[in-house]
Amino acid sequence: MIRYKTRGDFVTMESLKRYVLLSLFLFSIANPLSASVTHYSIPEEMKEGSVVANLATDLTLDIKTLNQRKMRLDIIANKKYLDVNKETGELYVVEKIDREHICNTKSSCYIKLEVILESPLRIFNIEIEILDMNDNAPQFRRDAIHLDISEVTPRGERFSLSNAVDPDVGSNSVKTYHLSESEYFNIEVQTGRDGSKFAELILTKTLDREQQAVHNLILTAVDGGTPARSGTASVIVHILDTNDNPPTFDKENLSVNLMENSPIGSLVVHLNATDLDEGSNSDISYSYSLYTSEKTQETFNLNPATGEVTVKGMLNYEDFRIYDMEVIATDKGATSLTGQCTIKILVEDMNDNHPEISIKSFQSPVTENIELETVIAVVSVSDKDSGDNGIVDLHVPDNMPFKLRESSDNYYELVVSEPLDREKVPEYDITFTVTDRGSPPLSDNETMTLELLDVNDNVPQFPQSFYTIRVMENNAPGALLSSLTAFDPDLHENQYLVYFIIEKEIANTSMSMLFSINPENGNLYALKTFDYEIEKEFLFHIEARDSGSPPLSSNVTVHIIIVDQNDNAPVIVSPWRAQGSVVEEKIPRSTDKGSLVAKVIALDTDSVHNSRITYQFLQVTDATLFSLDQYNGEIRTMRMFSYRDPRHQRLVVVAKDNGEPALSATVTIKLTTMETAVKAYSDMTEEPLEYDIFSDINLYLVIGLGSVSFLLLITILVTIVIKCQKPKPSKAAPPSRNSVISERNSTIADSTLVSNDAYWYSLFLAETRKGKLVVRQPLPKGSRYIVSSIPRGTGLTDTSDSAASTLQVWRNKE
């Protein structure tokens, strides 16, 4: 069902039949051409496909024969907006119909159609009336309406405004007008002879252009449709000026003080008159009145266009002291209006002779260390005026290290009042200013330049008093370490600096053999490659000396810090083994869960960060049987041995440091389980030193170890004596350490749990749990064992992973 809108109401297709006017319902059967006309009325803007009427029903035609009779529709003198459905006989809309496009502004609008059928030939005349809808808003021909109204226009005057146009007809056309709120204007709606509506603008209040020159109004046209549509236009009213305001001065009476001898052309006063009118009514010209004397008009000039009063003749206070003038301002309106101003000019006496300065003596240049109260210049002053105008005062700037000292009448000496420093101020522009006491005072000045000569009074200065320089070990010889540049504010040879290292010996080595400094620019170089494990820091002084006479110098402290590199691999010191050998240990199969079976200890001679060691299994026969503490290297059982476990267990432990890249060392431990019941020392504690270590079981072993150790000690003592006779210490062994090499058979840090020397191993495990390394060494007869604990962080020097372990030993003789 199709709905459409007409006159603001929506109707159904069934109610559309009420608009269909069937003027002739009977047809002549005998005559094939019928002259009767069928009328229909439809609203414009119906949607495409909307049904207008059923022609077959209205014309009493058989629907079944419409195709056979070739029913067609012809539109006379119009575009084909309609068509007929041959299947149903319905007349429907093909294209939207715009009434304003078809019929323009006609009050009635029709479309004429012919329905033609053949066999037999029949022609039906159809007339369709297009009803108007309110689909167009009123429009003004121009968006802005301009009106020019004189400000003297009387109230009630009317002005025609252009009307709005609405393409719709009837009640949908323009019905009325509205004007925006205004206290000066109103409108009245009029009806033309053709029924069109237009508005007239009515002046309701007297206008004043000086208060408001332009009035902006909004005119709205409203049609009579439902809902109503509207259109707007701007009404711009320009108020035309009339000459109703006279010129006015800022001040009607002026008094001006003017100095005598003012130059010709000097501005005395600038008169300004204003007129509120516009155009020629506000153009003003200035002139003298008849009351102005000839003397005044000869002495002063009045510019008629700008109102400027300037000096025209010479002014002399003794001849004429007061001038009176009256100036008239006249506008250029049709009826001229005028305003006037009275001016009194008072001539003042002036000090017209300047004081004079004469430099009798001036000494330049001078050295910066010149003594105080030394005379630099002699100056005289004078003034030709008399009285106060002839009294003069001489002064120099207060911010300079100089002062004036009066020597006699009008003679002054310039002396040094403060110490001079060329480095702060290299020269002074001294301005001598002389001023008389006239009103207004006159002055004169003279500027002299005093140059200062440099003396060597500044020591070289370093930006810092202490330099800390970090040098990575293994540096290349000749590498630039830093640039230590000093500054001397003096000039020429007094600022030329030479750098050198103050000699100092460290371990019989001179600093000049380790470092070099460029004497010209202060670049510091390393002369050798440094090793952090041997030399960790250097402290010395560098001196900068100028070339003055006498020379001045200063020094700076330099702290060289050698930064460690990870260039030393960890060394396995426990359990000890010969190069490439496997450590063999024996443990009972009855060992409990959590028992300590071995402990791996590695040492790294690098710095604390690079020497931080962690342990981990590289290979293990049974990963479920043993655990390794990554920090202390303790290997413990995770469970008890079973009959299925193999008798031999192979453990490969890697010790890795914390350097970048990390270095490592490995040790292979072969564990053999024994069926004999041997006590496992998993929770051993430290025993008294008086414990009898020479049991029957290990007597022969200790005797053998003692003999070997005695021979080893003799060898080490001989080596130390030989090295002490050399002029320089060996890099492989620092002079602060006495080291002995422990052999595997000496049982130093032996990790075998079930060994013949159970006491020493228990003591070793107890001390290592406290973070210490236990060392025992058999001594010659007459001595007793002293057990020492070395903290884990103690650095030992090793040449490689396979090198023998180096441990420190103390001996205490009875």
Side-chain angles (χ1 to χ4, degrees):
M1 183 174 293
I2 301 175
R3 300 172 65 89
Y4 61 90
K5 184 179 180 184
T6 176
R7 297 178 182 269
D9 298 326
F10 289 95
V11 298
T12 64
M13 192 62 211
E14 294 177 354
S15 63
L16 178 61
K17 295 178 181 180
R18 298 177 184 178
Y19 295 100
V20 179
L21 302 176
L22 185 58
S23 60
L24 183 61
F25 191 73
L26 299 177
F27 301 92
S28 175
I29 302 175
N31 187 2
L33 300 177
S34 176
S36 61
V37 179
T38 303
H39 292 272
Y40 295 99
S41 297
I42 63 172
E44 63 174 329
E45 303 292 339
M46 286 186 67
K47 295 182 179 179
E48 297 177 1
S50 299
V51 177
V52 176
N54 193 317
L55 295 180
T57 301
D58 295 341
L59 300 178
T60 63
L61 299 175
D62 186 0
I63 296 175
K64 299 178 181 179
T65 63
L66 295 181
N67 280 325
Q68 297 176 358
R69 298 182 66 180
K70 299 180 180 180
M71 181 180 184
R72 65 180 183 273
L73 184 68
D74 288 342
I75 299 178
I76 301 174
N78 281 102
K79 187 178 179 181
K80 189 173 182 179
Y81 292 101
L82 303 167
D83 202 356
V84 63
N85 189 334
K86 297 177 182 179
E87 301 296 332
T88 61
E90 292 177 339
L91 181 65
Y92 64 92
V93 177
V94 176
E95 184 178 338
K96 280 188 178 182
I97 302 173
D98 186 355
R99 181 187 180 283
E100 289 74 28
H101 177 72
I102 297 175
C103 303
N104 203 356
T105 58
K106 295 179 181 179
S107 58
S108 58
C109 183
Y110 295 92
I111 296 178
K112 294 182 180 181
L113 311 173
E114 287 184 350
V115 179
I116 303 173
L117 295 95
E118 298 179 0
S119 302
L121 177 64
R122 296 288 300 277
I123 299 176
F124 299 94
N125 293 321
I126 309 295
E127 193 174 67
I128 298 177
E129 181 182 6
I130 307 301
L131 301 178
D132 182 48
M133 293 181 64
N134 190 24
D135 57 344
N136 292 281
Q139 289 184 346
F140 289 89
R141 293 181 178 86
R142 291 179 296 175
D143 293 336
I145 303 171
H146 293 270
L147 295 177
D148 294 332
I149 302 176
S150 174
E151 65 177 327
V152 294
T153 302
R155 291 184 299 172
E157 190 74 19
R158 294 171 176 263
F159 305 91
S160 297
L161 300 175
S162 61
N163 63 315
V165 178
D166 193 329
D168 296 326
V169 296
S171 61
N172 293 329
S173 62
V174 177
K175 182 179 180 182
T176 186
Y177 293 89
H178 300 290
L179 185 68
S180 59
E181 184 178 355
S182 173
E183 62 175 316
Y184 292 94
F185 298 97
N186 201 351
I187 62 169
E188 186 176 293
V189 180
Q190 303 289 342
T191 304
R193 292 180 181 180
D194 57 352
S196 62
K197 302 288 184 179
F198 62 91
E200 288 185 343
L201 187 67
I202 303 173
L203 180 64
T204 60
K205 185 178 179 181
T206 303
L207 300 172
D208 188 349
R209 190 204 63 80
E210 287 71 37
Q211 291 184 2
Q212 187 173 352
V214 179
H215 295 264
N216 293 304
L217 308 173
I218 301 297
L219 180 64
T220 304
V222 183
D223 63 20
T226 304
R229 293 175 177 266
S230 62
T232 61
S234 298
V235 179
I236 303 173
V237 180
H238 300 272
I239 310 303
L240 301 178
D241 182 53
T242 58
N243 191 23
D244 55 349
N245 293 281
T248 58
F249 286 91
D250 297 338
K251 292 182 180 181
E252 294 183 356
N253 296 286
L254 289 174
S255 179
V256 179
N257 295 326
L258 187 63
M259 297 300 299
E260 66 170 331
N261 297 329
S262 294
I264 295 175
S266 299
L267 179 65
V268 178
V269 64
H270 187 181
L271 300 176
N272 183 38
T274 56
D275 193 320
L276 298 178
D277 295 321
E278 67 176 359
S280 61
N281 297 329
S282 64
D283 292 340
I284 298 174
S285 62
Y286 302 89
S287 62
Y288 288 119
S289 71
L290 297 176
Y291 298 101
T292 304
S293 65
E294 292 293 333
K295 175 65 175 177
T296 302
Q297 295 185 34
E298 292 175 357
T299 308
F300 299 98
N301 180 58
L302 174 62
N303 189 318
T306 62
E308 291 181 348
V309 179
T310 57
V311 177
K312 184 179 180 181
M314 293 298 297
L315 297 176
N316 194 328
Y317 174 80
E318 289 72 25
D319 293 342
F320 217 85
R321 300 183 181 182
I322 300 176
Y323 294 88
D324 291 315
M325 67 176 65
E326 187 177 76
V327 178
I328 297 175
T330 306
D331 64 24
K332 297 181 181 180
T335 303
S336 298
L337 300 178
T338 62
Q340 65 181 20
C341 175
T342 302
I343 305 168
K344 179 174 288 188
I345 299 176
L346 304 176
V347 180
E348 296 181 352
D349 189 24
M350 64 177 297
N351 181 24
D352 52 356
N353 288 289
H354 289 265
E356 297 178 354
I357 301 175
S358 177
I359 307 297
K360 301 300 182 180
S361 173
F362 189 81
Q363 182 182 356
S364 178
V366 297
T367 58
E368 61 177 321
N369 61 347
I370 188 172
E371 295 182 359
L372 299 181
E373 299 299 324
T374 301
V375 177
I376 300 297
V378 177
V379 182
S380 67
V381 294
S382 61
D383 194 319
K384 296 179 181 180
D385 292 326
S386 60
D388 291 341
N389 294 335
I391 301 175
V392 295
D393 297 309
L394 179 67
H395 61 86
V396 294
D398 296 334
N399 58 349
M400 289 190 175
F402 308 101
K403 66 180 180 179
L404 288 170
R405 185 171 61 192
E406 188 173 2
S407 60
S408 60
D409 291 342
N410 295 332
Y411 276 83
Y412 297 86
E413 293 177 345
L414 181 69
V415 298
V416 179
S417 60
E418 298 176 14
L420 305 182
D421 190 347
R422 189 211 59 81
E423 287 70 35
K424 294 182 179 179
V425 182
E427 65 179 22
Y428 292 91
D429 290 329
I430 306 173
T431 301
F432 298 91
T433 303
V434 60
T435 307
D436 63 21
R437 298 183 184 179
S439 179
L442 296 180
S443 63
D444 194 8
N445 60 73
E446 185 83 20
T447 300
M448 303 296 290
T449 300
L450 176 65
E451 297 181 5
L452 300 184
L453 299 178
D454 182 52
V455 296
N456 191 25
D457 56 348
N458 290 279
V459 299
Q461 299 174 0
F462 285 93
Q464 301 172 216
S465 61
F466 189 90
Y467 285 86
T468 299
I469 303 173
R470 298 181 179 275
V471 180
M472 188 69 67
E473 69 169 328
N474 301 321
N475 60 291
L480 176 64
L481 304 183
S482 181
S483 181
L484 310 177
T485 304
F487 171 74
D488 193 321
D490 291 324
L491 287 180
H492 308 305
E493 67 276 0
N494 295 331
Q495 71 171 170
Y496 297 148
L497 303 181
V498 178
Y499 302 88
F500 56 90
I501 298 174
I502 299 177
E503 286 298 335
K504 177 182 178 181
E505 289 191 358
I506 299 179
N508 298 325
T509 302
S510 174
M511 283 295 102
S512 59
M513 299 179 63
L514 302 177
F515 303 97
S516 173
I517 188 167
N518 189 316
E520 295 182 357
N521 56 26
N523 288 344
L524 183 64
Y525 300 91
L527 297 181
K528 61 167 289 186
T529 300
F530 297 108
D531 188 346
Y532 172 82
E533 286 71 36
I534 298 177
E535 304 148 324
K536 292 183 171 53
E537 62 180 7
F538 300 94
L539 191 68
F540 56 92
H541 299 281
I542 290 179
E543 181 176 305
R545 181 181 300 167
D546 63 24
S547 302
S549 180
L552 300 178
S553 64
S554 64
N555 59 65
V556 66
T557 302
V558 179
H559 184 201
I560 303 293
I561 298 177
I562 307 302
V563 180
D564 180 49
Q565 282 186 332
N566 191 27
D567 55 349
N568 290 282
V571 176
I572 305 294
V573 298
S574 177
W576 187 92
R577 83 283 187 208
Q579 182 175 359
S581 63
V582 177
V583 178
E584 294 186 0
E585 304 289 353
K586 296 180 180 180
I587 59 174
R589 294 186 66 87
S590 61
T591 301
D592 292 333
K593 174 183 177 182
S595 298
L596 179 65
V597 296
K599 180 165 184 174
V600 179
I601 299 176
L603 297 178
D604 194 319
T605 57
D606 288 323
S607 62
V608 175
H609 177 76
N610 293 328
S611 65
R612 194 174 302 151
I613 297 175
T614 56
Y615 305 88
Q616 63 185 45
F617 280 130
L618 191 60
Q619 293 180 7
V620 60
T621 303
D622 189 346
T624 65
L625 187 56
F626 300 100
S627 66
L628 173 62
D629 190 307
Q630 64 174 338
Y631 298 111
N632 59 26
E634 293 181 353
I635 301 175
R636 294 180 180 270
T637 56
M638 297 174 62
R639 59 180 176 82
M640 295 188 65
F641 290 94
S642 66
Y643 69 94
R644 295 181 179 179
D645 294 326
R647 180 182 178 188
H648 299 286
Q649 299 286 335
R650 186 173 183 270
L651 308 177
V652 180
V653 179
V654 59
K656 186 184 297 183
D657 62 21
N658 196 39
E660 184 63 35
L663 302 178
S664 62
T666 59
V667 60
T668 301
I669 302 174
K670 181 179 179 182
L671 295 178
T672 303
T673 57
M674 306 292 292
E675 295 297 336
T676 57
V678 181
K679 182 179 179 181
Y681 295 91
S682 59
D683 297 315
M684 294 178 290
T685 59
E686 193 170 338
E687 295 293 336
L689 294 176
E690 287 76 13
Y691 186 86
D692 186 10
I693 63 174
F694 297 103
S695 61
D696 294 337
I697 300 174
N698 59 8
L699 178 58
Y700 296 105
L701 178 61
V702 171
I703 293 174
L705 291 176
S707 301
V708 174
S709 299
F710 179 75
L711 294 176
L712 180 61
L713 180 60
I714 296 300
T715 304
I716 291 175
L717 291 176
V718 173
T719 303
I720 292 174
V721 171
I722 294 174
K723 287 190 175 185
C724 289
Q725 293 176 354
K726 294 182 180 181
K728 294 183 181 179
S730 174
K731 180 177 180 180
S736 61
R737 296 178 183 160
N738 295 322
S739 303
V740 293
I741 300 176
S742 302
E743 299 293 340
R744 175 68 181 94
N745 294 332
S746 65
T747 70
I748 295 178
D750 193 346
S751 63
T752 305
L753 270 179
V754 185
S755 66
N756 295 330
D757 200 350
Y759 165 73
W760 280 108
Y761 197 77
S762 64
L763 182 59
F764 161 74
L765 291 179
E767 286 298 322
T768 52
R769 291 190 186 98
K770 300 177 183 178
K772 301 176 181 179
L773 177 61
V774 176
V775 179
R776 75 175 175 123
Q777 176 65 49
L779 300 175
K781 186 176 181 180
S783 302
R784 60 184 181 91
Y785 287 96
I786 300 298
V787 180
S788 64
S789 299
I790 303 176
R792 291 181 181 177
T794 302
L796 301 177
T797 303
D798 297 292
T799 57
S800 65
D801 178 46
S802 63
S805 303
T806 306
L807 304 176
Q808 190 168 353
V809 177
W810 290 264
R811 184 176 65 183
N812 183 19
K813 291 187 179 181
E814 294 180 347

